[in-house]
Amino acid sequence: MTGSVVLIHLAGAVALLLWATRMVRTGVERAYGDVLRRKLRGTLRNPLLAVAAGGALAIAFQSATAVSLLVGSFAGSGIVTGAAGLVAVLGADLGSAFVVKLLSFDLPLLVPIALFVGTTIFLATERRAWRQFGRILVGVGLLILSLRLIGEASEPLRESGILPVVVNYLAADPVTAFLIAAVATWLFHSSVAFILLIVALAARGLVPAELGIVMVLGANLGGGLIAAMLSRTMSPPSRVVPLGNLAIRAIGALLALAGIVWLHPPLELLGASVPLQIVHAHIVFNVALVIAGIPFAGLVARTIERLLAYAAPPVPVSFEDKDTNALDPEALGTPSRALANVTRAVVGVCETIEVMLKNIMELYEEPDRARMAALAALDDRVDRRHAAIKLYLARITTGQMNDDEARRTQELLGACVKLEQVGDIIVRNMLVHVGKKLDRGLNFTPEGWRELLNLHAAVVANARLAFNVLISRDTETALQLVREKDRLRDVERATSRSHFERLREGTPRSVETSSLHLDTIRDLKQINSLLASIAYPVLEERGMLGGTRLKAAE
């Protein structure tokens, strides 16, 4: 087998590894993301619980980067302090190390089982949670399969004359190996995937233990760099956690690298084989970071906050300014350009509505006057954007529009009106319910609150589908959104029945919160109906919408 063929096979196996990792992460995010966020938010105040919660979330998401950005957003919203968020992310890094350990086991039988069961579940049901669970299983199967393919693809490299030269050079120059690993991890956008690649090559005898550990240290630095780079467009308070994590990981990795180079510790203590030594070194390093990082988390967070405050521009550009810039008046004479500008502006409205949807349920759980006022201000922002978009659409030169552009104009205008109505329901109805709950000191029953959370999670998931339909105009996504509307109607009926059963039983808290409970169900149902209607123009254009119901699938 020629060298080029070997590299093609290896590149394909690595690409499958990256894709499988992404499949698992997105499956967990779509199915359980909102629940996991709420659980994490409630445990961050205790350092030990924060470490455990961050680790569990990293195992679920298969990504410490996702946890770092999520916790960073919590810190930016004032839900947790930067120090508490930093501790949670250190726990996430440790959880990510345990993911590598779990995936390093030889589990050949799990591949066909995970692929078969996952595919069967995905195809056998239309329920989102079950379909995403099937997606997760397929991703796990492909991930383990990719590791086997990497091992098989790298087998011919044992006889290569070039590889030993490269390996010997890197082994003799650990600093270069460390930097290459950091850059490669950043390019992979996954420290788990890169370290699994190193472990797979080590299992074939292609990477010695000390070089593998040096590259694992570089991967840890690169993993911190990923989140820090992805957070560069976030607000300064939200960047404290990713940047603080990067600082701790960089200092820890450099100290560990110096220890490896100068002290040459006995690596045999980490395991009987080279792959075990590499995996265990990764875990030991992250355990050490957790132990050393907890006492210094506050100091690091405060230092990063001061640096960000010092580096902040004196006159920041507001969100509204950026949206106004998207509606370029010079593009009005070219409908295609003008509609592209409107699409960008509507995306900004979608992002604000999603924030409002998420925040309103957090206020139901923990009412706060300041955050209620902030949510109301978001609705004012939506109203301003809606007015600007409507005026801009009215000024586009209609004489040069073709039929598709005319339809797109009406579609964007209709979607923007619906989004503005969603914002009104959140603020004028649901926010009023939050105020009543706060003023009267009411609390839902555990069963009632769980039902509302499940209903809210379904609406948030449907909102994301609606936003995707609006941008991509994908038929399958539009069909899924309309089907989810019907499914949510059944969930709403079941929720209402459960509530009335508790009323008949005379449950005190159900009686006290009955009006709030039923009004919230009604509001969530209305929001979901508005969002689902965004799919109608796409389905109608393709002849898939008959009257008020979907045509039977052919």
Side-chain angles (χ1 to χ4, degrees), residues 48 65 75 97 104 114 157-158 263 363 382 402 433 459 493 549-550:
L48 295 180
T65 299
S104 65
L157 294 177
R158 290 187 178 190
L263 301 179
L363 286 171
V382 169
N402 56 37
H433 305 334
V459 173
R493 289 171 181 167
R549 300 188 61 84
L550 288 173

Side-chain angles (χ1 to χ4, degrees), residues 228-463:
M229 293 295 291
L230 290 176
S231 69
R232 63 186 183 276
T233 58
M234 298 169 68
S235 64
S238 299
R239 301 191 67 197
V240 170
V241 171
L243 291 176
N245 182 54
L246 174 61
I248 291 177
R249 297 181 77 73
I251 294 171
L254 291 173
L255 291 175
L257 176 64
I260 291 287
V261 172
W262 292 333
L263 301 179
H264 298 287
L267 302 181
E268 297 78 12
L269 298 176
L270 295 173
S273 64
V274 173
L276 282 178
Q277 292 169 12
I278 294 174
V279 171
H280 291 166
H282 183 39
I283 294 175
V284 168
F285 173 74
N286 281 279
V287 169
L289 281 188
V290 170
I291 295 173
I294 290 177
F296 293 101
L299 174 62
V300 172
R302 289 191 297 272
T303 302
I304 298 296
E305 288 170 357
R306 286 195 291 268
L307 290 175
L308 288 173
Y310 179 77
V315 183
V317 178
S318 70
F319 203 60
E320 289 80 5
D321 290 338
K322 289 189 286 185
D323 283 344
T324 303
N325 290 340
L327 301 175
D328 182 9
E330 296 182 2
L332 289 170
T334 309
S336 60
R337 284 181 55 201
L339 290 175
N341 291 339
V342 173
T343 301
R344 287 172 53 199
V346 174
V347 167
V349 178
C350 292
E351 291 172 349
T352 304
I353 291 295
E354 184 172 2
V355 171
M356 293 174 68
L357 269 175
K358 290 180 178 179
N359 288 355
I360 188 62
M361 222 55 186
E362 294 176 358
L363 286 171
Y364 265 81
E365 186 174 9
E366 295 181 6
D368 178 82
R369 296 291 183 189
R371 294 177 62 203
M372 290 169 65
L375 184 62
L378 288 179
D379 185 52
D380 293 337
R381 180 187 297 174
V382 169
D383 291 342
R384 289 194 297 270
R385 293 176 185 171
H386 170 241
I389 291 171
K390 186 168 58 176
L391 179 61
Y392 188 82
L393 285 170
R395 295 171 60 196
I396 297 177
T397 304
T398 56
Q400 300 179 19
M401 281 189 185
N402 56 37
D403 291 341
D404 290 339
E405 290 168 343
R407 280 195 296 269
R408 183 60 172 166
T409 298
Q410 293 302 315
E411 185 179 340
L412 289 171
L413 179 59
C416 200
V417 169
K418 294 179 179 71
L419 292 172
E420 193 262 346
Q421 291 173 342
V422 169
D424 287 344
I425 292 173
I426 292 173
V427 171
R428 297 179 185 177
N429 295 355
M430 299 183 74
L431 199 59
V432 172
H433 305 334
V434 172
K436 292 179 181 178
K437 184 174 180 291
L438 177 60
D439 293 338
R440 301 175 186 176
L442 301 176
N443 286 299
F444 295 108
T445 64
E447 298 82 3
W449 179 238
R450 184 165 57 250
E451 291 167 358
L452 289 179
L453 287 179
N454 291 337
L455 189 62
H456 173 261
V459 173
V460 171
N462 289 344

Side-chain angles (χ1 to χ4, degrees), residues 32-50:
Y32 314 109
D34 293 317
V35 175
L36 292 174
R37 287 187 184 95
R38 286 194 292 271
K39 296 294 184 184
L40 178 65
R41 185 169 60 87
T43 57
L44 288 182
R45 295 174 180 84
N46 183 301
L48 295 180
L49 288 178

Side-chain angles (χ1 to χ4, degrees), residues 40-45 71-86 241:
L40 178 65
R41 185 169 60 87
T43 57
L44 288 182
R45 295 174 180 84
V71 176
S73 68
F74 286 167
S77 301
I79 296 173
V80 298
T81 65
L86 192 50
V241 171

Side-chain angles (χ1 to χ4, degrees), residues 40-123:
L40 178 65
R41 185 169 60 87
T43 57
L44 288 182
R45 295 174 180 84
N46 183 301
L48 295 180
L49 288 178
V51 170
L57 206 60
I59 292 173
F61 283 152
Q62 302 265 298
S63 171
T65 299
V67 180
S68 180
L69 295 174
L70 172 62
V71 176
S73 68
F74 286 167
S77 301
I79 296 173
V80 298
T81 65
L86 192 50
V87 170
V89 174
L90 291 174
D93 293 328
L94 180 58
S96 179
F98 282 114
V99 169
V100 173
K101 175 65 177 178
L102 291 172
L103 295 176
S104 65
F105 288 116
D106 187 17
L107 302 168
L109 190 60
L110 188 59
V111 174
I113 293 175
L115 291 176
F116 176 76
V117 175
T119 302
T120 301
I121 292 174
F122 189 87
L123 296 177

